């Protein structure tokens, strides 16, 4: 059936192949096997890291204030595979060098991929990954294609569990979105830290909340539930080491005590 919105999309300056992205009614026409109709030229590094960390574990950090209660354990992260995101470097008490630092939202990306907002950068990280719809060519950054926001993890499930990768669906929270890269890299167990999913601020500022829209929180919860279920079916493990975190508190992801994980 001919798309009745095609002419409208062209009139407002959208490319024809972006019509589905602009009008959610037609997302059913998109399929993961054709990269959601996004015509992506995949960077070589993505195929190079596939399953390079099979049977290993990693720790993916949010920036929630619960991290301040675990600070005595965090130096042990120097010997682990760690993923950080967004403004993590702003917290001056990070006692390890991240294996991968990531951003998954357009706000930090400047000049259509040619620059990164310094507040979101982490030059000391071993690798920096920008998961975005358009190519990111900022010096020192790797680009990881992201699906448009009409394609969400809670509906389509996570990428990274098989031998083909499509642009990553949004999970509405950077740690959950980037967990799909960890799956693609082969990690058997993924542990979340600082993913409070509350309005209680950041590790460096517990006075100001950031996640204020209940609609967004509900989307995060649904994405976390889908991620956990699909990983379990695939023989992978997802644990939440966030004390007082909503994901484990609501029973969506099982809780694991970080001290026991590190000493086990």
């Amino acid at each position: 059936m001919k798309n009745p919105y095609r002419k409208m999309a062209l009139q407002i300056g959208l490319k024809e192949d972006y019509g589905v992205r602009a009008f959610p009614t037609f997302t059913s026409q998109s399929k993961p096997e054709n990269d959601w109709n996004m015509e992506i030229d995949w960077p070589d590094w993505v195929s190079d890291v596939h399953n390079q960390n099979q049977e290993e574990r990693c720790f993916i950090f949010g920036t929630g204030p619960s991290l301040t209660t675990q600070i005595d354990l965090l130096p042990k992260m120097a010997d682990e595979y760690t993923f950080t995101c967004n403004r993590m470097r702003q917290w001056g008490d990070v006692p390890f060098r991240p294996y991968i630092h990531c951003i998954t939202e357009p706000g930090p990306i400047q000049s259509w991929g040619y620059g990164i907002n310094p507040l979101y950068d982490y030059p000391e990280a071993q690798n920096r990954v920008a998961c975005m719809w358009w190519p990111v060519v900022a010096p020192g950054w790797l680009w990881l294609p992201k699906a448009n926001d009409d394609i969400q993890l809670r509906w389509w499930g996570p990428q990274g569990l098989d031998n083909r990768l499509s642009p990553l669906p949004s999970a509405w929270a950077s740690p959950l979105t980037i967990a799909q890269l960890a799956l693609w890299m082969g990690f058997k167990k993924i542990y979340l830290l600082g993913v409070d999913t509350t309005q209680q601020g950041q590790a460096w500022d517990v006075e100001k909340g950031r996640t204020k829209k209940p609609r967004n929180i509900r989307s995060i919860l649904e994405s976390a539930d889908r991620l956990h279920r699909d990983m379990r079916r695939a023989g992978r493990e997802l644990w939440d080491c966030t004390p007082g975190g909503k994901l484990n508190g609501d029973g969506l992801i099982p809780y694991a005590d970080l001290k026991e994980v590190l000493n086990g």
Side-chain angles (χ1 to χ4, degrees), residues 47-199:
S47 60
D48 292 341
V49 302
H50 186 214
N51 284 336
Q52 72 172 14
N53 297 100
Q54 282 186 301
E55 302 304 318
E56 296 184 292
R57 70 182 185 182
C58 69
F59 296 81
I60 301 181
F61 284 75
T63 58
S66 63
L67 292 176
T68 62
T69 69
Q70 300 171 307
I71 194 167
D72 59 325
L73 297 171
L74 298 186
K76 295 184 178 182
M77 292 295 161
D79 298 322
E80 302 283 352
Y81 288 103
T82 53
F83 292 64
T84 58
C85 63
N86 299 330
R87 294 179 297 162
M88 185 68 167
R89 188 171 181 259
Q90 199 167 332
W91 188 39
D93 291 320
V94 180
F96 57 87
R97 182 186 179 202
Y99 180 57
I100 292 177
H101 179 70
C102 69
I103 52 179
T104 66
E105 299 298 336
I109 299 176
Q110 301 172 335
S111 303
W112 294 96
Y114 283 87
I116 303 295
N117 184 325
L119 289 176
Y120 292 81
D121 202 352
Y122 207 139
E124 296 84 0
Q126 298 176 54
N127 304 278
R128 290 173 287 172
V129 174
C131 184
M132 187 39 52
W133 313 307
W134 60 80
V136 174
V137 295
W141 284 80
L142 300 170
W143 174 52
L144 178 62
K146 181 183 181 183
N148 70 82
D149 279 348
D150 292 337
I151 308 298
Q152 299 179 23
L153 190 153
R154 55 182 172 153
W155 298 327
W156 287 91
Q159 289 292 308
L161 288 170
D162 53 34
N163 291 320
R164 189 189 186 284
L165 192 69
S166 297
L168 304 191
S170 173
W172 290 78
S174 292
L176 299 179
T177 299
I178 209 63
Q180 297 171 93
L181 173 60
L183 294 178
W184 175 251
M185 295 171 69
F187 285 102
K188 175 78 171 182
K189 298 180 180 180
I190 296 177
Y191 297 91
L192 303 176
L193 291 92
V195 187
D196 295 36
T197 319
T198 66
Q199 299 183 41

Side-chain angles (χ1 to χ4, degrees), residues 63-65 196 198-210:
T63 58
D196 295 36
T198 66
Q199 299 183 41
Q200 302 306 312
Q202 312 294 309
W204 59 86
D205 187 355
V206 299
E207 300 300 324
K208 296 180 180 179
R210 297 286 298 176

Side-chain angles (χ1 to χ4, degrees), residues 13 28 56 124 148 151 184 194-195 213 236 241-242 257 259:
S28 60
E56 296 184 292
E124 296 84 0
N148 70 82
I151 308 298
W184 175 251
V195 187
K213 296 182 180 180
R236 313 275 189 111
C241 297
T242 305
D257 184 272
K259 185 174 182 179

